[in-house]
Amino acid sequence: MRRYSAFAIAREAARHHQGWERAWRSPEPKKKYDIIIVGAGGHGLATAYYLGKNHGLTNIAVLEKGWLGGGNTGRNTTIIRSNYLQDPSAAIYEKARSLYETLSQDLNYNIMFSPRGVMMLAQTQHEIRGYQRTAYANALQGVATEFIGPQRVKELCPIIEIGGPRYPVLGALWQPRGGTARHDAVAWGYARACSDMGIDIIQQCEVTAIRSQGDKVQGVTTTKGSIDCDKLGIVVAGNSGVLADMAGFRLPLESVARQALVSEPIKPCMDVVVMANTVHGYMSQSDKGEMVIGGGTDGHNNYTQRGSFHHIEETVRALIETFPMISRLKMLRQWGGIVDVTGDRSPILSKTPLEGCFINGGWGTGGFKAIPGSGWAMAELMAKGASPLAAAFGLERFREGRFIDESVAAGVAH
Amino acid sequence: MSTRLATGGRFLDRNQPRVFTFNGTDLSGFAGDTLASALLANGRSMVGRSFKYHRPRGIVASGAEEPNALVNLGQGAAFEPNQRATTTEIFAGLKAESQNHWPSLEFDIGALNNLVSRFLPAGFYYKTFIHPRAAWKHVFEPIIRHSAGLGRAPKERDADRYEHFYHFTDVLVIGGGVAGLQAARAAAADGGRVLLIEQSAQWGGRAPVDGGQIDGKDPEVWINDALEELEKAPNVTIRRRTMGSGVYDHGYVLGYERIADHTPGDTRPRHRLWRIRAARVITATGAIERPLSFAGNDIPGVMLASAMRDYVVNYAVSPGDRTVVVTNNDDAYRTAIALKNAGLDVPVILDARPQAEGDLPRAARDLGIRIETGRAIARVKGRKSVTGVAICAQAGEGAVLEEIACDAVAMSGGWSPVVHLWSHCGGKLIWDEAGAFFRPDPDRAPISHDGQPFVATAGAASGQMTLAETLKDADSAGKVASRALGLAAGRKGAPKASQPQEGPITPVWMMPQGAGPALRQKMWLDYQNDVKVSDVQLAAREGYESVEHTKRYTTLGMATDQGKLSNINGLAVLSGALQNDIPAVGTTTFRPPYTPISMGAIAGEARGDIFQPIRRTPIHDWHDDNGAEWEPVGQWRRPYTYRRAGESTHDAVMREVKNTRQHLGLLDASTLGKIIVKGPDAGRFLDMIYTNMMSTLKPGRCRYGLMCSENGFLIDDGVVARIDDDTFLCHTTTGGAERIHGHMEEWLQTEWWDWKVYTANITEQLAQIAVVGPNARKILEALGGMDVSADALPFMAWADGQIGGFDARIYRISFSGELSYEVAVPASQGRALWDRLIETGQEFGVMPYGTEALHIMRAEKGFIMIGDETDGTVIPQDLGLNWAISKKKDDYLGKRAQARSHMTDPDRWKLVGLETTDGSVLPDGAYARGSGTNENGQKTVIGRVTSTYYSPTLDKGIAMGLVLNGPDRMGEVINFPALDGSATPARIVSPVFYDPEGEKQNV
């Protein structure tokens, strides 16, 4: 792989950029791989990358029915934070956040991780207590957060209305090392690095069946033919239930449309990410200048990738109360993605009833921030059969009642 | 240079001049002008700077597709960035500024980017700024951010008002050109309700500019006749300045009406969002002309041929004295003819096709215009304005054959139907070889709830590009919609139309077709985002082959016009680079809105005080008048405390607790949820909803109950009173009333739908006042009426009766540990009762108390609070509430879950009391530290504080917490680290700090 750098750009500029090579190969599938990962989103690609990097396994295919990074990886609001309450969540999200800090250098691909800081507003006494608790928990978990007062909130984000008539801002949980990254670049960077290690990323290749012998996985049938494998990782977010069905087991997951929207680009006016859970809305400003806004989740299960407009209305109302200046901005685009949500709103990283078959899903509305940590843990789980980061997220927790419920800390927006 | 023509201008009222300001200079236009036409009339062809390279940008279009002419509009509370000049109607006093430059539009430092643009190809930022790591955050990203963005951020609170409309119609027709007018006529002919909306201020669309005859009449005459007919029809509603913004599932469509953008300050709402539910939708949204990709096609003065025609005919604006027309189709000849007819010079028409023999080329030749076929533009000359073009052969690599001086270029690469609204809800497209565009595939329309297609297209939006076919198609679309709704469509046929015959188009995606890399770096696809032909080719070369990858890698089509001009040209270039068919490459997803809509309109009226209306108890005003410090609880506000002059908040709370414990306190408990559960199966139902046995409760008695989710976690608590054999009244927490009511209904409607139970949330129908303290009985006896003695109304009983003349229901329940009555009266009597209690209570030492005193008193007594001791992960067993879990019942919600291994684990954290060794108050939310770390390196914890207060009754800090094996460790001291590294030791004690025997409340 030819490395990216300012020098490479200068060299190519001299010849009109005719010499750039492909970022990732486009191979035909082999008959057999050691490991097949289904799903070339961020989580699937990261899993393949860390299997190669941490465990030396590269005889791997990543199968993608559409184009890589085309699902929730390319549809989210790009927020990265790890200020979670429960230990297992804080561990995996903080692992992810810390990997994000050096990911551009690891991948030799600028994923534009921007540690601009994330604040979650407290607008009721109850939220103050909840975020104070999270700050105490985070301190013991090794996650740097602090509870800040309204004046500090205003200093960090001058466009906030802290004296709003309905829900004045009473403080915030502040994670200065949280932030955002360029979501597509995360998928592309991992894909390029995987391809460079010899991992085959096969796009336009839909898995139509999972084959097994006895209780053990044997391979998959795809639109590009039959492919064998020793181990299979299902990393398909909203389609987890569909793949699990092919593998012969059921998952405690529901799939719903979740929406987001952006405004037209304006000059920089907001340097931090703000989440306001009492009124249900969150916002940041992209490097391009758009205000990136998270919307609501449909109340009914569906696969539309559209969502109902009244959620957009509710979100925009909430944000106009929080940031009155956005009233005269215009919504440029709204879209939806399909999120797979578990009963405790925490992910599944697990072995399955089918031997050799593993699943990584259920990230719900908060998967982007977890990508590197999720891939790291999933790779370890698949390579070694166990991973401390993944241990608490096994499927058995639903049977045992060992839930990892973040609703108290995360409010609604995850 | 562009200027105003002496005569003409269909839209202009020359008797009404309008003075406006652009970049601080006063300019003049006429009523009917858009800001774009008025700027052109004043010779301002350069109006902005592009996003990435800060290249000079001129007006290129005449409608919503404009990517360049975006301005900062207005000032102060009426300031708005990124307003399209082409859709902004001018008014006296309009103030506009160009965007994205410093220090000025003419001289922009940012244009340095342009000089180094060869080092800044698509995606360059992914390949550099990687080392050193800190530089991205501190150096590179700030630079990129600073140069990004277009308009300025508004600073002030929006002074305007917005509103929502609901509208229900049989047929919605979107687009008020001749197709939309005819579709509306046909759909309305048999009485169906029709709504016709048009985004601009003018009806009729392109037809009056493009010419032809309809039913033997001039199009303008036909349009006026059709409008008159529609305006008269009682079943038709028509609206100008109303855009079809998005099509959603089940016939839901958003309309965006710009009511007062052109009449600011006239007190009307600025925008109105129409929430339309239509049985059938017809999109008659026309087509948008495509630019041609030649070097320098972004220099101000290069304009779409159709836009130039619009400016000449509609606004009497000359785009320049000498205009070169470049085209691959016949339609652009109309522009040459219009220019010539306006007395302007057209030195040459460059037609990329080998021949041009249709009616329009013939007419152009007859006017003496030079036509060169097989020719292309090698490059446009000029920097901030066009000074000429270099001509080459389309078939070659760009060798210059001739140079022609000119000050404007009109380009036409063909037309693309506007398919956005068709596509929003799943309508599919097919590639039309003959027309070289994507058009809706009528066999794959968006499907509604009944399996029937609910969106159809009409006219140019269907790909029908001649006047006659457009009208026929529109007439048919209207009739089909009408028939689908069971109405007999009108029998009248489509109007007959005639127009010059047009020859076929030849697709031209690059000009000249053999252009080398140097020229391709000067061919703009996306003018605003600075995406060039070379960028798309680079994306393809690097493997970003999906059209979505290319879009995201190059930012093609991500500008504020969302690719209305650039998408088709871009994906044609991509398909060329991939050597694949255009239809195989496909399009990106069309998403609402069609053009950007204001956030204000989306929010509507719900802002400020009515964003979420505050729920008020009947006693709210009294609290407000008596020093209440408010605390938001759910949708309510509750008094946190009543602070007196000279008192701190803390002092006030302490006073309220002490007074209640020693004398008499009053609490407005009206916000607590009150749900009536009624029916023969009510007891059975509540046995499932609560962990306790409720069916055995006797009328006249109360019972404290717990509710769990099906996962076993405690979700709410409260006192249930049995009113009669089949009626219960369930109290819930303040914040839980709606949620618990919904929870009950969900189970009734989905699982136990055959049980005979009704529920009703009557929270707001009653005012409820807690009368608390040693003097509680005395004050009620002083008021006079029903017997409230311990014998007549023992603890956990209730009774109906009269007290002080009020019809009341009195519950003998206590959340403080004191003698306590909760008196419920009809909401209308709440304030009068409160006033009477305050008045009568003077001799008994009455004081109102707020939520904080309530919390302290319940904590002193060891009562749990939902949301403090519970957080969605706590089961009743954790809280020592096993006594409230019936062992006799077969089932209740959560029972099975609570039997799971983790729920019965003896090592769960359990409720205890906590006392610091020095009497201080433990920090809220603090965790107790264990020893060592877990396998993820996190410090081990063994418990946490759930509630913590200073108790004035005990004169020390008290707390409750959940602690590992807590109840077995009474007397042990555990450590709670603070964030500063220090630690507070605390002793594990019983959670009941006050009156453990219940001597105070049970008297």
Side-chain angles (χ1 to χ4, degrees):
Chain A
M1 175 174 82
R2 212 174 296 163
R3 291 185 66 75
Y4 288 159
S5 67
F7 302 110
I9 291 178
R11 183 188 65 225
E12 284 300 325
R15 46 176 160 160
H16 300 293
H17 300 282
Q18 300 295 302
W20 290 108
E21 60 186 18
R22 292 183 64 95
W24 49 80
R25 294 170 294 112
S26 181
E28 285 302 306
K30 296 189 280 189
K31 281 270 171 265
K32 178 165 191 300
Y33 293 89
D34 294 342
I35 296 174
I36 288 177
I37 305 293
V38 186
H43 291 262
L45 290 165
T47 301
Y49 174 74
Y50 293 112
L51 278 167
K53 188 181 179 210
N54 294 353
H55 305 283
L57 300 168
T58 56
N59 185 22
I60 298 173
V62 185
L63 309 182
E64 170 55 49
K65 79 169 175 182
W67 40 280
L68 68 87
N72 294 342
T73 302
R75 292 167 193 273
N76 62 81
T77 50
T78 81
I79 296 169
I80 294 166
R81 63 182 179 87
S82 59
N83 52 351
Y84 279 70
L85 179 64
Q86 313 290 359
D87 283 352
S89 316
I92 197 164
Y93 288 107
E94 175 63 10
K95 178 72 183 176
R97 196 204 57 77
S98 66
L99 288 169
Y100 265 125
E101 287 195 328
T102 56
L103 197 57
S104 295
Q105 291 74 36
D106 284 353
L107 301 177
N108 180 236
Y109 200 105
N110 188 357
I111 58 116
M112 303 183 194
F113 176 61
S114 170
R116 56 183 64 181
V118 175
M119 66 170 69
M120 299 169 83
L121 301 182
Q123 293 176 284
T124 64
Q125 294 292 331
H126 187 253
E127 270 186 314
I128 292 178
R129 289 195 294 272
Y131 289 144
Q132 282 174 341
R133 177 183 164 193
T134 306
Y136 277 106
N138 287 165
L140 295 162
Q141 291 155 343
V143 178
T145 59
E146 64 176 309
F147 189 83
I148 57 174
Q151 287 312 319
R152 179 91 176 107
V153 168
K154 186 78 180 170
E155 281 165 30
L156 287 163
C157 186
I159 61 171
I160 282 192
E161 170 64 62
I162 58 169
R166 192 62 181 83
Y167 298 106
V169 174
L170 306 172
L173 182 67
W174 170 237
Q175 183 175 25
R177 295 177 77 176
T180 60
R182 176 84 182 92
H183 56 9
D184 293 320
V186 172
W188 299 340
Y190 274 123
R192 176 164 167 268
C194 282
S195 179
D196 186 53
M197 285 192 281
I199 293 168
D200 286 352
I201 301 161
I202 301 162
Q203 302 183 78
Q204 307 292 325
C205 179
E206 182 174 358
V207 171
T208 54
I210 292 173
R211 292 178 289 107
S212 56
Q213 197 160 36
D215 289 338
K216 189 172 180 340
V217 72
Q218 201 181 21
V220 294
T221 309
T222 76
T223 49
K224 291 192 173 179
S226 187
I227 313 173
D228 288 347
C229 65
D230 296 331
K231 288 180 184 172
L232 178 68
I234 298 172
V235 196
V236 294
N239 284 298
S240 294
V242 179
L243 270 286
D245 193 43
M246 289 181 197
F249 57 92
R250 282 170 62 88
L251 289 173
L253 282 176
E254 295 183 340
S255 290
V256 294
R258 176 156 182 104
Q259 300 182 71
L261 62 123
V262 291
S263 76
E264 293 182 327
I266 53 171
K267 290 293 174 193
C269 62
M270 184 183 188
D271 293 329
V272 298
V273 179
V274 175
M275 315 182 76
N277 289 328
T278 291
V279 295
H280 303 315
Y282 51 97
M283 184 166 94
S284 62
Q285 188 172 21
S286 73
D287 283 350
K288 209 163 166 290
E290 298 146 335
M291 309 310 289
V292 183
I293 293 172
T297 305
D298 273 351
H300 56 285
N301 295 349
N302 66 82
Y303 288 88
T304 61
Q305 297 194 331
R306 287 196 292 269
S308 310
F309 191 76
H310 71 268
H311 291 299
I312 300 283
E313 290 177 6
E314 287 159 9
T315 302
V316 168
R317 266 178 209 146
L319 290 175
I320 287 179
E321 284 315 295
T322 316
F323 308 96
M325 51 79 68
I326 71 163
S327 177
R328 290 187 90 90
L329 299 186
K330 296 191 273 304
M331 175 173 80
L332 175 61
R333 187 175 175 89
Q334 62 166 115
W335 67 92
I338 302 164
V339 296
D340 46 330
V341 182
T342 63
D344 61 0
R345 302 293 189 271
S346 285
I348 298 168
L349 282 146
S350 186
K351 295 181 178 177
T352 71
L354 182 63
E355 194 189 334
C357 175
F358 300 80
I359 188 146
N360 177 349
W363 291 95
T365 58
F368 175 73
K369 68 174 84 72
I371 284 173
S374 160
W376 183 286
M378 182 74 173
E380 191 173 23
L381 177 65
M382 290 187 75
K384 295 182 172 175
S387 162
L389 282 174
F393 297 103
L395 275 170
E396 65 282 357
R397 78 175 188 273
F398 299 101
R399 198 165 48 244
E400 296 169 358
R402 196 181 295 274
F403 285 5
I404 306 160
D405 198 321
E406 290 287 341
S407 52
V408 60
V412 174
H414 214 297
Chain B
M1 200 167 111
S2 58
T3 186
R4 181 82 77 189
L5 297 165
T7 57
R10 291 175 60 231
F11 296 160
L12 298 186
D13 183 347
R14 293 194 189 237
N15 296 318
Q16 295 198 58
R18 296 275 184 267
V19 176
F20 67 101
T21 309
F22 180 68
N23 284 349
T25 306
D26 280 353
L27 302 173
S28 185
F30 295 113
D33 260 324
T34 64
L35 179 57
S37 68
L39 285 169
L40 286 169
N42 284 277
R44 305 284 176 135
S45 56
M46 175 175 156
V47 292
R49 292 276 178 171
S50 66
F51 191 88
K52 186 171 169 188
Y53 303 139
H54 290 247
R55 304 248 316 166
R57 285 289 174 257
I59 295 160
V60 69
S62 58
E65 65 277 18
E66 172 64 38
N68 290 343
L70 305 183
V71 295
N72 289 318
L73 197 69
Q75 288 177 314
F79 171 81
E80 179 176 23
N82 301 332
Q83 190 61 32
R84 277 158 200 70
T86 50
T87 58
T88 302
E89 298 171 56
I90 67 162
F91 51 86
L94 177 152
K95 285 189 169 34
E97 291 168 5
S98 51
Q99 302 183 155
N100 201 33
H101 48 66
W102 186 86
S104 72
L105 175 60
E106 283 71 28
F107 180 77
D108 177 14
I109 292 286
L112 286 172
N113 286 357
N114 189 35
L115 297 179
V116 294
S117 64
R118 65 191 308 185
F119 298 102
L120 312 176
F124 75 96
Y125 30 71
Y126 300 124
K127 295 172 178 161
T128 183
F129 308 141
I130 297 172
H131 298 280
R133 180 158 73 87
W136 172 252
K137 182 185 176 187
H138 297 293
V139 182
F140 302 131
E141 191 189 23
I143 292 172
I144 287 187
R145 285 199 73 201
H146 183 75
S147 57
L150 289 170
R152 287 200 315 271
K155 287 210 166 62
E156 293 183 30
R157 188 178 278 273
D158 191 348
D160 277 302
R161 191 154 80 71
Y162 303 84
E163 67 180 23
H164 288 176
F165 249 33
Y166 293 84
H167 192 90
F168 301 86
T169 189
D170 295 321
V171 181
L172 166 66
V173 181
I174 302 171
V178 293
L181 290 166
Q182 181 57 29
R185 287 174 79 197
D190 208 55
R193 290 171 304 167
V194 174
L195 172 65
L196 170 65
I197 59 177
E198 159 60 34
Q199 63 178 350
S200 73
Q202 316 287 349
W203 295 102
R206 296 209 54 79
V209 175
D210 290 352
Q213 295 260 301
I214 307 175
D215 279 343
K217 295 182 250 189
D218 192 75
E220 191 143 14
V221 175
W222 184 88
I223 289 163
N224 287 335
D225 291 350
L227 264 179
E228 201 176 318
E229 177 188 326
L230 290 168
E231 274 166 357
K232 275 190 200 143
N235 54 330
V236 178
T237 307
I238 65 174
R239 278 286 189 288
R240 289 180 300 162
R241 299 188 178 95
T242 305
M243 176 186 75
S245 170
V247 175
Y248 302 84
D249 289 292
H250 302 172
Y252 189 66
V253 180
L254 285 185
Y256 175 62
E257 184 176 10
R258 294 170 59 193
I259 302 172
D261 269 346
H262 62 298
T263 56
D266 72 351
T267 76
R268 293 185 300 170
R270 187 162 86 108
H271 299 153
R272 178 182 288 149
L273 198 67
W274 288 60
R275 300 152 121 186
I276 303 161
R277 197 60 84 165
R280 288 290 181 279
V281 180
I282 298 173
T283 72
T285 44
I288 292 176
E289 194 168 25
R290 296 191 295 255
L292 283 166
S293 299
F294 48 83
N297 63 350
D298 68 323
I299 295 170
V302 180
M303 197 184 276
L304 291 173
S306 59
M308 199 174 275
R309 199 150 80 229
D310 288 341
Y311 288 118
V312 172
V313 176
N314 291 333
Y315 303 101
V317 165
S318 151
D321 294 349
R322 281 166 64 81
T323 303
V324 168
V325 176
V326 57
T327 183
N328 64 345
N329 62 73
D330 277 7
D331 182 60
Y333 285 80
R334 291 193 168 95
T335 300
I337 293 164
L339 290 165
K340 199 79 181 170
N341 287 341
L344 300 165
D345 190 19
V346 179
V348 66
I349 298 174
L350 302 171
D351 194 327
R353 299 173 296 179
Q355 55 204 18
E357 301 302 336
D359 290 349
L360 289 164
R362 209 168 301 130
R365 269 194 202 96
D366 291 347
L367 285 170
I369 301 174
R370 176 184 166 198
I371 297 172
E372 294 284 347
T373 56
R375 290 289 179 265
I377 290 181
R379 61 189 171 85
V380 178
K381 302 175 70 175
R383 278 182 54 236
K384 292 180 185 169
S385 61
V386 173
T387 58
V389 296
I391 300 173
C392 64
Q394 168 62 16
E397 294 178 24
V400 176
L401 305 173
E402 182 184 351
E403 290 194 354
I404 291 186
C406 63
D407 54 2
V409 175
M411 61 181 167
S412 176
W415 292 78
S416 297
V418 174
V419 297
H420 300 63
L421 296 168
W422 166 268
S423 303
H424 283 168
C425 213
K428 299 288 185 282
L429 306 176
I430 47 176
W431 179 251
D432 186 304
E433 281 293 341
F437 49 65
F438 280 106
R439 65 175 164 82
D441 180 351
D443 294 332
R444 293 182 296 162
I447 301 298
S448 194
H449 65 286
D450 54 3
Q452 297 301 310
F454 75 99
V455 182
T457 56
S462 306
Q464 302 296 347
M465 294 299 179
T466 69
L467 196 54
E469 285 167 339
T470 280
L471 288 164
K472 217 167 96 188
D473 185 56
D475 186 66
S476 160
K479 285 174 177 161
V480 167
S482 186
R483 254 183 245 122
L485 298 173
L487 301 164
R491 273 176 294 279
K492 265 211 239 156
K496 301 273 181 294
S498 60
Q499 227 184 358
Q501 283 285 324
E502 290 184 38
I505 182 177
T506 301
V508 169
W509 306 119
M510 206 161 67
M511 182 171 263
Q513 62 97 15
L519 283 181
R520 298 203 297 260
Q521 284 182 1
K522 300 282 179 206
M523 297 176 184
W524 261 256
L525 291 167
D526 190 316
Y527 296 111
Q528 189 184 110
N529 276 357
D530 283 321
V531 182
K532 300 167 293 183
V533 167
S534 55
D535 292 315
V536 169
Q537 291 170 333
L538 175 63
R541 189 176 308 128
E542 295 194 86
Y544 299 90
E545 294 167 334
S546 149
V547 63
E548 289 284 355
H549 283 160
T550 301
K551 165 188 154 181
R552 289 151 183 260
Y553 190 64
T554 62
T555 72
L556 174 79
M558 290 170 75
T560 59
D561 68 315
Q562 291 281 287
K564 290 188 180 69
L565 293 190
S566 59
N567 270 354
I568 300 297
N569 284 350
L571 71 92
V573 170
L574 178 64
S575 76
L578 298 172
Q579 297 179 334
N580 207 341
D581 294 341
I582 290 175
V585 171
T587 66
T588 53
T589 311
F590 294 90
R591 298 282 190 182
Y594 174 61
T595 64
I597 65 176
S598 67
M599 300 283 186
I602 295 170
E605 298 91 335
R607 56 172 57 207
D609 287 338
I610 56 168
F611 157 58
Q612 282 178 8
I614 290 174
R615 294 172 75 182
R616 302 156 61 93
T617 75
I619 309 160
H620 187 98
D621 289 344
W622 190 94
H623 305 319
D624 219 12
D625 294 342
N626 287 274
E629 287 189 1
W630 293 110
E631 174 185 357
V633 185
Q635 305 283 303
W636 304 90
R637 291 276 165 86
R638 299 190 75 184
Y640 180 87
T641 188
Y642 302 81
R643 197 154 60 86
R644 293 178 173 175
E647 232 179 9
S648 72
T649 300
H650 177 77
D651 292 345
V653 172
M654 296 300 113
R655 170 178 54 75
E656 288 171 8
V657 172
K658 282 186 197 155
N659 186 72
T660 304
R661 292 257 186 247
Q662 289 164 11
H663 307 290
L664 180 60
L666 291 185
L667 176 82
D668 181 0
S670 307
T671 59
L672 288 179
K674 302 173 228 23
I675 299 169
I676 292 281
V677 176
K678 190 174 177 65
D681 290 321
R684 182 186 176 200
F685 172 65
L686 292 183
D687 280 348
M688 287 303 294
I689 291 287
Y690 287 93
T691 61
N692 323 59
M693 187 77 93
M694 290 298 176
S695 55
T696 58
L697 185 63
K698 301 220 161 21
R701 300 295 299 181
C702 302
R703 184 167 289 163
Y704 171 73
L706 305 174
M707 279 184 230
C708 294
S709 66
E710 63 267 44
N711 279 316
F713 300 117
L714 192 49
I715 57 171
D716 211 71
D717 68 349
V719 171
V720 177
R722 187 161 200 167
I723 307 302
D724 56 38
D725 273 349
D726 59 3
T727 312
F728 294 80
L729 187 141
C730 304
H731 287 99
T732 74
T733 57
T734 295
E738 283 70 38
R739 180 169 46 84
I740 295 303
H741 187 223
H743 170 74
M744 288 179 171
E745 281 297 320
E746 182 179 0
W747 283 95
L748 274 178
Q749 291 175 28
T750 61
E751 294 292 327
W752 306 316
W753 48 270
D754 54 340
W755 292 14
K756 296 187 176 70
V757 182
Y758 286 99
T759 68
N761 184 347
I762 59 161
T763 303
E764 288 182 333
Q765 297 183 26
L766 297 166
Q768 198 150 316
I769 300 168
V771 182
V772 183
N775 294 340
R777 186 173 289 136
K778 290 179 199 156
I779 187 178
L780 294 182
E781 285 169 351
L783 283 176
M786 59 195 284
D787 187 352
V788 293
S789 67
D791 292 338
L793 194 57
F795 187 53
M796 296 307 275
W798 66 269
D800 280 343
Q802 275 212 332
I803 193 85
F806 293 90
D807 289 327
R809 174 172 292 161
I810 303 186
Y811 305 88
R812 188 60 211 286
I813 53 181
S814 176
F815 195 43
S816 57
E818 297 298 330
L819 173 63
S820 164
Y821 298 85
E822 292 201 10
V823 185
V825 295
S828 59
Q829 302 299 302
R831 175 65 191 270
L833 174 61
W834 179 272
D835 287 345
R836 183 83 68 80
L837 285 165
I838 292 287
E839 185 192 320
T840 312
Q842 292 309 314
E843 63 172 299
F844 304 110
V846 73
M847 278 183 201
Y849 66 94
T851 52
E852 189 62 2
L854 164 86
H855 289 152
I856 292 174
M857 287 190 281
R858 67 92 194 168
E860 289 172 340
K861 182 67 182 165
F863 290 147
I864 64 140
M865 176 69 84
I866 295 291
D868 286 348
E869 276 61 47
T870 71
D871 64 357
T873 69
V874 174
I875 57 177
Q877 291 86 342
D878 298 340
L879 301 176
L881 294 170
N882 302 58
W883 59 267
I885 303 170
S886 169
K887 312 286 183 297
K888 296 180 199 151
K889 295 195 293 188
D890 290 339
D891 201 7
Y892 61 83
L893 291 179
K895 183 181 171 84
R896 178 178 161 277
Q898 288 164 1
R900 288 182 291 186
S901 61
H902 183 61
M903 301 291 199
T904 56
D905 187 340
D907 284 342
R908 287 182 71 87
W909 293 4
K910 297 247 162 85
L911 186 74
V912 292
L914 295 164
E915 276 180 357
T916 55
T917 45
D918 62 358
S920 62
V921 180
L922 271 173
D924 213 337
Y927 277 75
R929 179 83 167 86
S931 58
T933 57
N934 66 20
E935 55 182 348
N936 287 316
Q938 298 167 320
K939 290 174 181 158
T940 307
V941 288
I942 55 167
R944 64 182 177 88
V945 175
T946 56
S947 297
T948 175
Y949 301 98
Y950 181 77
S951 161
T953 314
L954 302 162
D955 195 21
K956 63 179 178 184
I958 61 166
M960 294 160 86
L962 290 160
V963 174
L964 177 66
N965 301 325
D968 303 331
R969 300 165 69 176
M970 288 295 158
E972 205 178 303
V973 173
I974 55 177
N975 268 310
F976 290 85
L979 296 173
D980 61 9
S982 66
T984 311
R987 180 171 290 110
I988 298 174
V989 297
S990 159
V992 185
F993 293 93
Y994 178 75
D995 187 25
E997 306 306 323
E999 289 162 2
K1000 302 268 184 186
Q1001 71 185 10
N1002 205 359
V1003 291

